[in-house]
Amino acid sequence: MDQSVNDSEPLQQPAPPRGSTNHQITAIMSADSLERLAVAGKGDSTRTLLRVIILLLIAGAAISSRLFSVIRFESIIHEFDPWFNFRATKYLVANGFYKFWDWFDDRTWHPLGRVTGGTLYPGLMVTSGVIYHALRALSIPVDIRNVCVLLAPAFSGLTAYAAYLLTNEMTPSSSAGLLAAIFMGIAPGYISRSVAGSYDNEAIAIFLLVFTFYLWIKALKLGSMLWGALCALFYGYMVASWGGYAFITCLLPLHAFVLICMGRYSTRLYVSYTSWYALGTLASMQIPFVGFLPVKTSEHMPALGIFGFLQLLAFLDYVRSAIPSRQFQTFLWVFAGSVFGIGLTGLVIATSAGYIAPWGGRFYSLWDTGYAKIHIPIIASVSEHQPTAWPAFFFDLNMLIWLLPAGIYLCYQKLADEHVFVIVYALFGSYFAGVMVRLMLTLTPVVCVAAAIALSTILDTYLKAKSPIPEEHLVEEPTDGTSKKVSKPGLRASSKPYIGIYATFSKVTVAGAMTAYLLMFVAHCTWVTSNAYSSPSVVLASRMPDGSQHIIDDYREAYQWLRQNTKDDAKIMSWWDYGYQIGGMADRPTLVDNNTWNNTHIATVGKAMASREEVSYPIMRQHEVDYILVVFGGLLGYSGDDINKFLWMVRIAEGIWPDEVKEREFFTPRGEYRVDAGATDTMKNSLMYKMSYHNYNNLFPPGQAQDRVRGVRLPDDGGPVLNSIEEAFTSENWIIRIYKVKDLDNLGRDHASASAFERGQKKKKVIKKKGPRVLRVD
Amino acid sequence: MRTLLSFLLLALASVVAAISTSGNRLLVVLDDVADKATYSKFFADLAEREFKITYETPKSDSLNLFNLGERTYDHVLFLPVHTKGLGPNLTPMTLLDFVNAQGNILLALSANTTTPTSLVSLLSELDITLPTDRNSLVVDHFNYDITSAADSHHVLLLPAPKPVRAGIKDFFSEDAGSKLIAFPRGVGAVLGNGELLNPILRAPPTAYSYNPKEQAEVVDDLFAAGQQLSLVSTVQARNNARVTVVGSAEMLQDKWFDASVTKLDGKPVVQTFNREFAKRVSGWTFQEIGVLKVNWVEHHLEEEGAPNDSNPEMYRVKNNVSYTISLAEYAWDHWIGFNVPESDQVQLEFSMLSPFHRLNLKEESRRLAAVHYHTVFTIPDQHGIFNFKVNYKRPLLSNIEEKNTVSVRHMAHDEWPRSYAISGAWPWIAGIGATVSGFLGFVALWMYSAPVAAKKVTVKKTQ
């Protein structure tokens, strides 16, 4: 720490005449110019004070940029998963921790229920519960909703600090740490999951991820058991918070493995890794949802393997010191070979015998992006599991993405243990981010760190007001490389001649360009945050012709209707996307929700939606469905509606009932997915189609009915007829349509003939004797 | 608690005694209000059972089955009318709504008059088919009254109907003795196969339906014959509303009440059973007999030391649970305990999606106006939202579909046996002990035997 402070050159320089550093600082934040102004004070304490102020301001910037959603809309929980977390938090706050732990939720997954307490990551809820109770204890009467809404922004400030700490471990330049902090604070890749109201596991998990990495690096550098234990502690917290903990579980062993392969095995590595693994695994096994997974599943095996490997290495190290080197060679080979062989066969046997679960589907889809589409439609259907489009990298990271290679390059130049970590992390992070959109989140921290290293190097080099004097530098060089580099003269990077910048023009040009980039970065981040990531998606915003904002509040309108007009235990069937929201906002039991733990149950709902009424009705009766909720965007042009998701329902249902639901039948012979007059009969008879377009053409003049999402004109045949269900509610813009499932006919008729009678159609005389008379048997 | 409840019910029962369980407002629709004289005994019997009878003709303006969405009558009795339509107040839709609103309909047909289209289409919704020809009537050349229909054979003489199969309660043939039911000039109907339909009185195997005007010479196109012809048919809707079709209105008339008839085999003259049969058919239709009700349902934990709360909302897997249901049956003017007929059982299903248990309930105790059925069972090892469901639906009895939803939760973290209570865990517990003591011993050894000089060497080496 102290060392890095001494080496931070920009801070040591007296104030330059023109705002050369000011460029850099305005790009980060105008307030940072304070730093420049106050540089006159050279003392350590002044710099520490400045750093604290800057970090506070960064935290402020990180938090305030995440408040767009609250300002634009309101203090509301966003999207889908956060609604469950919010509901769980309310349960926790109301019932206490033990009740929460043993929570059996009978209002989801009707009629199976969900052992919620044992199937969630409780870290998030417990964190907000603790905050809530702490604030209460300080007699600050705060609403739990506000705690939940503002948790993510608050933690983003901490994440920025963690990024600062992590980067400081990488480079002696403390400006790099501050840059990393501000990058972390405002990078859209992280903001996307942590705006106010985005009350999801990631909200705290990214902080824990970065902080765990920091502690790991610290432990590794010092070879300290204490830091290793701290790392394990935060790893345990991370496990309690997010399923993405597996990323740490795999990355740390990988880092260790790479270090070993590079011949950098050391007792530091041994101590830090062993203490992390032993304590961290124990900690992770305390989470009911994780339980024995760390010793049973393949995802956790690398960590265990490296743990064993390190023991062997330590043993070999001891043997080497004890016996002569020639014997040692033979011993080494025989020993290594046999251990590897035994370990591998043991793993294979344990896996095939079922002691170790084979890789899960989600894991396979990380390697083969086409895998999920074929084998597990439920995973492929989630939009955030789709492969990332290239523009998304630029959209989420802007200039950081091209600073990343530069940062990696700089890491290669120094290549201490911690730099290896950055390289390994960047490599894997970018691969996974390319495979799954949501994993952009795990890539963001390393991008910020690497970019900060690169940018700070550029700025440190180009922002020197004085031109370097070569002779003077020759003296300086050894101190520049720090103690570790001295011991490893083999690397060419460290023996390179010092190259300084002499021309003022190039200094100004580069500094100016960087300033412009930073300014653009801030502008981009702000724009992305405000336009792309701040929509709660529960409330939709649109523009009126005069430019004013118009709020489309159909979701809440419909959920409120359910809350007020249905009985307390009315079961709502909808596609799983809306399960959490119905549970959270309407407080009604649902059949399936976003916790997609039971594929068959989801497929059942898919089948009910994709089949004819006569097939769907018994399914709905069996599951005691009272209301069906569908999302229809045809009137408004809202593209995220159920008809557009319909093929996934069909596919998932087909996975379970390939004979009854066939995707092919929803396509026309020419392979088109159509909803207009050219739609197939299967499509037109499916419950989903009927529910979406029921009564829709009454809104239009005859023959003019139009679906604005799919841009087609609907057939003018009076629209689909529903027999076994009836329309109960349609929201203002027709986004949500709720249907009530009719009871069995009171007189034992089937629904089709009952509603035909109600429409005034006379029953056809059954007197026509075709075939043998049907006799009544009593 | 239960006795108190029973007393309360008994008190309640005595208050409402002597009327139907579903109200006493009866509407009689007939051609001419003066016609009621021919049915005077039947109406007198009804009035004696405290029915408030209103007589209306179909065309009457004051005839309304509903007022402001509420039923204005509890029961409707249709006697034959000569008009083909019943007017705007008695459309099939209205009648169906009436049934859906738990109103009961007794429908008397006659071969002499055309059945109004409104009623025909109501019946066709109920899956009861009448002959298409008007004036079709049922004849039987073997079971007719030789005194009144010596030539035309259209006054059928039938014994009081017994239940179709075992396990069904007998409402209509008790105390009949050798009395016969006279069924003069009646219409036979054909019933569909729905489970809501039940014939009370079926034609003898030798009977058939024909049109005396068009098919006088030869019956080429037979409507139905034998036991397929239902003379008195019933429908009990899912909401327990009852519709009864009596094929011959004439059998309700005074002249056939207590008339004397003679069968073909020349057996001595016997009295008709019509009056009693009419009383029972109307009594059944108007919810005076065959009405079941659930007094209460009670379930609770049957574990030692567990709280004994009634009807908790949540159980745990593998709990022992007791379930009791109290059933009563209405008998003309009071509630009595409902005894399940022999060779029948009341069953309890404990189900989630499909039944995990289907248990016969045993009679636990018999009270004045209730019989309690009871069972104790173990909840399956499956958490979820389960239903205690008693689904008792039998012909001629009103439906019992009692569903009580409970959640069955998993074992809480502190409900498992402790590790030391499981003998299989002892090796592992011993292992923990050995590790801990070994570690402590090692530490102690290390602390006491650390050589100062050697330590420095190792430190250097590791770095």
Side-chain angles (χ1 to χ4, degrees):
Chain A
M1 207 55 171
D2 286 339
Q3 201 177 19
S4 63
V5 169
N6 287 333
D7 288 338
S8 63
E9 278 169 311
L11 295 178
Q12 274 181 331
Q13 294 296 328
R18 279 174 293 115
S20 51
T21 320
N22 253 345
H23 287 298
Q24 168 207 356
I25 282 158
T26 42
I28 302 166
M29 260 186 59
S30 60
D32 272 15
S33 57
L34 283 173
E35 179 195 14
R36 269 293 114 187
L37 296 173
V39 147
K42 283 188 179 181
D44 270 3
S45 57
T46 318
R47 279 202 294 274
T48 312
L49 178 68
L50 271 176
R51 211 169 289 127
V52 168
I53 291 172
I54 292 169
L55 281 171
L56 282 178
L57 289 170
I58 287 172
I63 292 170
S64 52
S65 76
R66 282 165 170 81
L67 296 182
F68 269 118
S69 56
V70 174
I71 294 160
R72 288 277 168 76
F73 299 96
E74 58 191 284
S75 174
I76 184 183
I77 304 287
H78 288 193
E79 298 198 310
F80 306 106
D81 286 16
W83 277 101
F84 167 75
N85 298 328
F86 178 48
R87 184 166 158 257
T89 310
K90 282 199 285 187
Y91 187 90
L92 169 69
V93 167
N95 295 300
F97 182 71
Y98 282 106
K99 276 270 180 67
F100 177 67
W101 196 358
D102 295 329
W103 186 16
F104 176 72
D105 191 355
D106 52 8
R107 293 177 78 77
T108 55
W109 293 91
H110 186 87
L112 307 172
R114 174 181 171 195
V115 184
T116 311
T119 57
L120 50 63
Y121 292 102
L124 181 72
M125 298 93 190
V126 172
T127 306
S128 16
V130 166
I131 293 174
Y132 173 78
H133 285 303
L135 289 176
R136 283 285 163 124
L138 294 171
S139 65
I140 302 173
V142 64
D143 185 9
I144 184 67
R145 176 174 54 91
N146 289 324
V147 174
C148 295
V149 166
L150 296 175
L151 188 76
F155 266 84
S156 73
L158 289 176
T159 315
Y161 180 62
Y164 166 80
L165 291 176
L166 181 63
T167 316
N168 272 349
E169 294 300 317
M170 303 296 161
T171 164
S173 159
S174 73
S175 66
L178 293 173
L179 277 170
I182 188 64
F183 287 160
M184 197 68 225
I186 62 172
Y190 176 39
I191 285 190
S192 65
R193 291 315 196 90
S194 63
V195 292
S198 183
Y199 180 57
D200 213 341
N201 290 334
E202 290 92 327
I204 64 170
I206 296 303
F207 160 68
L208 294 171
L209 183 84
V210 179
F211 202 69
T212 311
F213 286 152
Y214 160 69
L215 291 170
W216 162 247
I217 295 297
K218 198 81 189 169
L220 182 64
K221 274 174 133 180
L222 300 175
S224 152
M225 204 186 273
L226 175 69
W227 286 96
L230 272 179
C231 178
L233 190 71
F234 273 84
Y235 171 73
Y237 191 6
M238 173 76 181
V239 176
S241 307
W242 193 35
Y245 74 88
F247 189 68
I248 302 181
T249 322
C250 292
L251 195 64
L252 298 194
L254 190 73
H255 180 212
F257 185 66
V258 170
L259 287 179
I260 293 165
C261 291
M262 289 168 78
R264 292 193 181 189
Y265 167 77
S266 62
T267 41
R268 283 182 294 112
L269 178 63
Y270 180 82
V271 169
S272 51
Y273 187 86
T274 327
S275 50
W276 165 74
Y277 180 74
L279 294 174
T281 305
L282 278 180
S284 66
M285 286 168 78
Q286 304 310 308
I287 310 302
F289 193 26
V290 177
F292 279 90
L293 291 184
V295 290
K296 274 178 145 175
T297 56
S298 304
E299 282 94 330
H300 297 81
M301 284 303 121
L304 179 62
I306 295 296
F307 179 70
F309 194 42
L310 275 175
Q311 310 306 321
L312 293 179
L313 282 179
F315 175 64
L316 286 176
D317 214 33
Y318 169 73
V319 173
R320 187 171 56 181
S321 66
I323 61 173
S325 64
R326 268 203 55 170
Q327 283 172 11
F328 179 71
Q329 283 295 347
T330 352
F331 174 79
L332 180 68
W333 284 115
V334 172
F335 184 73
S338 58
V339 163
F340 184 75
I342 290 169
L344 195 68
T345 38
L347 191 67
V348 169
I349 289 170
T351 308
S352 58
Y355 291 114
I356 300 176
W359 304 100
R362 239 169 256 244
F363 191 81
Y364 277 127
S365 59
L366 280 182
W367 306 108
D368 176 7
T369 47
Y371 178 87
K373 205 163 211 167
I374 302 163
H375 295 97
I376 345 163
I378 187 82
I379 291 179
S381 75
V382 183
S383 58
E384 60 182 18
H385 290 165
Q386 306 297 332
T388 318
W390 284 110
F393 280 100
F394 187 74
F395 188 74
D396 275 353
L397 299 166
N398 194 266
M399 67 160 191
L400 304 184
I401 197 66
W402 52 257
L403 282 174
L404 168 72
I408 301 295
Y409 171 74
L410 289 172
C411 286
Y412 267 108
Q413 282 205 319
K414 293 169 192 161
L415 212 61
D417 291 353
E418 61 269 25
H419 299 117
V420 175
F421 178 76
V422 173
I423 293 164
V424 169
Y425 183 4
L427 212 64
F428 273 77
S430 43
Y431 174 75
F432 289 134
V435 172
M436 253 188 213
V437 177
R438 73 190 308 203
L439 292 181
M440 185 70 85
L441 202 57
T442 51
L443 175 66
T444 306
V446 73
V447 170
C448 291
V449 170
I453 293 173
L455 192 65
S456 76
T457 313
I458 294 173
L459 292 177
D460 287 356
T461 314
Y462 282 88
L463 280 183
K464 273 184 190 149
K466 281 191 293 185
S467 290
I469 304 156
E471 297 84 60
E472 188 185 296
H473 185 73
L474 282 176
V475 189
E476 238 178 64
E477 213 213 320
T479 49
D480 198 10
T482 67
S483 57
K484 259 172 249 150
K485 284 284 149 345
V486 182
S487 61
K488 285 195 172 64
L491 282 172
R492 235 194 312 159
S494 56
S495 60
K496 265 187 178 176
Y498 181 80
I499 301 162
I501 310 299
Y502 295 86
T504 319
F505 175 71
S506 54
K507 281 184 192 173
V508 172
T509 316
V510 172
M514 278 300 145
T515 312
Y517 282 131
L518 284 169
L519 282 171
M520 278 163 61
F521 176 66
V522 171
H524 175 83
C525 290
T526 315
W527 179 84
V528 168
T529 309
S530 108
N531 288 316
Y533 291 142
S534 290
S535 166
S537 93
V538 174
V539 182
L540 308 169
S542 71
R543 296 264 163 222
M544 299 296 271
D546 62 349
S548 63
Q549 185 173 262
H550 175 64
I551 297 285
I552 295 165
D553 210 356
D554 279 37
Y555 280 100
R556 285 196 295 178
E557 183 192 351
Y559 296 142
Q560 185 71 2
W561 184 88
L562 278 176
R563 196 182 255 274
Q564 292 182 339
N565 295 283
T566 60
K567 60 183 194 309
D568 190 48
D569 61 345
K571 286 92 193 168
I572 318 290
M573 180 171 93
S574 71
W575 191 234
W576 60 260
D577 297 26
Y578 316 107
Y580 278 165
Q581 289 188 347
I582 295 172
M585 282 190 258
D587 191 23
R588 292 292 174 269
T590 51
L591 259 68
V592 291
D593 62 30
N594 311 46
N595 174 267
T596 51
W597 66 274
N598 189 326
N599 187 34
T600 312
H601 214 56
I602 291 179
T604 308
V605 172
K607 185 187 174 191
M609 297 287 196
S611 305
R612 290 177 300 120
E613 271 186 75
E614 292 79 5
V615 179
S616 308
Y617 186 73
I619 298 175
M620 296 191 287
R621 287 286 300 180
Q622 191 189 18
H623 289 80
E624 302 173 307
V625 176
D626 295 300
Y627 293 90
I628 315 169
L629 182 146
V630 289
V631 174
F632 173 65
L635 182 67
L636 209 65
Y638 173 62
S639 61
D641 70 350
D642 277 350
I643 288 280
N644 279 357
K645 293 174 183 170
F646 189 37
L647 280 178
W648 287 115
M649 306 183 200
V650 174
R651 275 176 206 151
I652 291 168
E654 189 179 6
I656 307 284
W657 293 279
D659 299 334
E660 296 174 67
V661 184
K662 294 191 182 73
E663 188 185 352
R664 186 69 196 82
E665 291 174 355
F666 290 84
F667 289 103
T668 59
R670 290 173 57 197
E672 298 160 312
Y673 179 65
R674 294 178 69 166
V675 295
D676 55 1
T680 61
D681 283 346
T682 317
M683 181 75 191
K684 280 184 174 170
N685 287 327
S686 68
L687 195 65
M688 175 55 76
Y689 181 91
K690 284 184 170 183
M691 287 192 293
S692 290
Y693 294 108
H694 181 66
N695 276 342
Y696 184 54
N697 52 5
N698 292 353
L699 283 180
F700 299 87
Q704 303 283 309
Q706 197 161 18
D707 183 326
R708 296 201 177 108
V709 175
R710 282 143 298 258
V712 291
R713 180 161 293 181
L714 296 171
D716 187 29
D717 55 0
V721 175
L722 285 167
N723 293 322
S724 49
I725 57 175
E726 59 195 351
E727 186 175 349
F729 175 79
T730 296
S731 64
E732 186 188 351
N733 299 298
W734 286 57
I735 288 183
I736 308 267
R737 310 200 65 186
I738 299 173
Y739 289 86
K740 187 181 193 324
V741 180
K742 286 183 187 169
D743 200 356
L744 285 172
D745 182 57
N746 189 30
L747 302 172
R749 302 167 293 178
D750 58 77
H751 282 110
S753 50
S755 46
F757 176 78
E758 235 144 81
R759 283 191 295 272
Q761 292 166 9
K762 276 206 170 169
K763 195 175 178 180
K764 283 175 198 125
K765 298 274 182 191
V766 278
I767 302 304
K768 282 172 208 155
K769 283 165 204 151
K770 277 179 185 167
R773 212 184 261 266
V774 180
L775 296 183
R776 183 182 164 88
V777 185
D778 279 303
Chain B
M1 173 69 196
R2 279 188 222 167
T3 34
L4 194 77
L5 214 77
S6 316
F7 276 125
L8 213 75
L9 281 167
L10 192 71
L12 215 72
S14 56
V15 169
V16 297
I19 51 164
S20 146
T21 49
S22 67
N24 63 346
R25 297 169 298 173
L26 170 64
L27 169 71
V28 177
V29 178
L30 69 182
D31 230 359
D32 185 355
V33 176
D35 281 355
K36 67 178 181 182
T38 48
Y39 301 94
S40 62
K41 284 183 184 167
F42 180 55
F43 289 142
D45 283 349
L46 285 172
E48 193 188 320
R49 291 179 353 237
E50 297 191 8
F51 281 103
K52 285 196 290 187
I53 307 177
T54 315
Y55 302 94
E56 293 278 10
T57 60
K59 301 289 181 204
S60 160
D61 288 337
S62 58
L63 172 57
N64 261 320
L65 292 186
F66 288 95
N67 181 27
L68 304 175
E70 292 284 324
R71 274 191 286 110
T72 38
Y73 301 100
D74 303 308
H75 320 282
V76 179
L77 166 59
F78 284 99
L79 290 171
V81 290
H82 288 290
T83 45
K84 196 160 163 33
L86 283 180
N89 292 330
L90 294 171
T91 60
M93 196 75 90
T94 323
L95 293 174
L96 218 59
D97 287 344
F98 184 71
V99 172
N100 287 341
Q102 292 194 310
N104 306 302
I105 295 178
L106 178 59
L107 200 57
L109 308 175
S110 165
N112 297 334
T113 57
T114 323
T115 312
T117 48
S118 169
L119 295 180
V120 171
S121 70
L122 170 70
L123 290 182
S124 94
E125 287 305 307
L126 301 174
D127 214 1
I128 297 174
T129 316
L130 296 179
T132 38
D133 309 320
R134 40 189 299 194
N135 301 331
S136 275
L137 55 78
V138 182
V139 292
D140 187 337
H141 304 303
F142 300 92
N143 301 301
Y144 63 94
D145 181 20
I146 52 174
T147 47
S148 61
D151 295 331
S152 44
H153 303 178
H154 52 39
V155 178
L156 272 59
L157 293 183
L158 308 155
K162 292 248 187 292
V164 190
R165 57 175 183 272
I168 298 181
K169 214 159 176 165
D170 181 9
F171 286 112
F172 300 103
S173 69
E174 270 177 21
D175 313 322
S178 61
K179 288 182 179 175
L180 292 173
I181 296 172
F183 189 80
R185 283 172 284 280
V187 183
V190 170
L191 307 186
N193 262 320
E195 67 257 33
L196 304 180
L197 289 167
N198 259 304
I200 291 180
L201 186 64
R202 297 193 294 177
T206 46
Y208 64 94
S209 170
Y210 88 118
N211 186 337
K213 286 189 182 139
E214 287 169 18
Q215 297 173 320
E217 299 304 316
V218 57
V219 181
D220 47 0
D221 187 16
L222 186 68
F223 170 66
Q227 303 240 309
Q228 288 296 312
L229 271 177
S230 175
L231 305 179
V232 178
S233 342
T234 63
V235 181
Q236 179 169 263
R238 285 186 203 281
N239 65 356
N240 290 333
R242 289 166 173 180
V243 178
T244 304
V245 182
V246 176
S248 161
E250 219 175 306
M251 71 184 284
L252 306 176
Q253 286 177 357
D254 292 352
K255 62 176 171 179
W256 290 103
F257 277 25
D258 310 320
S260 301
V261 288
T262 320
K263 277 186 90 172
L264 183 61
D265 51 11
K267 282 272 169 64
V269 174
V270 283
Q271 290 282 306
T272 55
F273 190 55
N274 281 24
R275 183 169 194 161
E276 185 61 25
F277 185 67
K279 180 193 169 194
R280 291 183 190 181
V281 167
S282 60
W284 185 86
T285 312
F286 300 153
Q287 314 264 357
E288 289 168 283
I289 49 174
V291 179
L292 299 187
K293 78 166 177 189
V294 178
N295 293 324
W296 43 260
V297 168
E298 202 267 341
H299 53 88
H300 61 88
L301 261 182
E302 194 82 359
E303 301 271 349
E304 271 179 46
N308 194 18
D309 301 338
S310 271
N311 302 346
E313 285 177 352
M314 190 168 272
Y315 290 108
R316 203 202 63 208
V317 293
K318 295 182 185 169
N319 269 155
N320 285 319
V321 168
S322 110
Y323 178 92
T324 315
I325 185 169
S326 164
L327 297 178
E329 182 187 5
Y330 198 65
W332 295 109
D333 53 0
H334 63 285
W335 289 99
I336 55 172
F338 172 67
N339 292 306
V340 179
E342 275 179 46
S343 75
D344 196 8
Q345 295 277 3
V346 181
Q347 289 185 319
L348 168 71
E349 282 178 1
F350 192 64
S351 65
M352 178 184 75
L353 294 178
S354 55
F356 281 60
H357 278 302
R358 188 180 282 134
L359 305 161
N360 289 335
L361 293 177
K362 288 187 191 65
E363 191 177 309
E364 182 200 41
S365 60
R366 198 177 289 218
R367 301 291 153 88
L368 205 54
V371 176
H372 303 167
Y373 293 91
H374 171 81
T375 192
V376 176
F377 67 99
T378 307
I379 288 180
D381 190 6
Q382 164 69 51
H383 55 74
I385 295 106
F386 282 80
N387 290 317
F388 287 105
K389 192 171 174 187
V390 171
N391 189 2
Y392 187 75
K393 288 172 182 158
R394 298 292 183 270
L396 303 178
L397 289 176
S398 53
N399 300 325
I400 288 180
E401 190 170 1
E402 197 64 30
K403 202 164 85 172
N404 297 65
T405 307
V406 292
S407 303
V408 175
R409 66 173 170 85
H410 59 292
M411 302 278 264
H413 72 282
D414 53 356
E415 286 176 326
W416 301 95
R418 303 298 306 199
S419 57
Y420 47 76
I422 306 168
S423 57
W426 291 344
W428 277 268
I429 295 172
I432 292 171
T435 311
V436 169
S437 49
F439 180 72
L440 289 177
F442 172 77
V443 168
L445 205 67
W446 182 267
M447 301 284 267
Y448 280 101
S449 64
V452 184
K455 202 180 171 188
K456 271 188 177 171
V457 176
T458 48
V459 167
K460 263 184 191 170
K461 216 172 188 185
T462 47
Q463 279 196 340

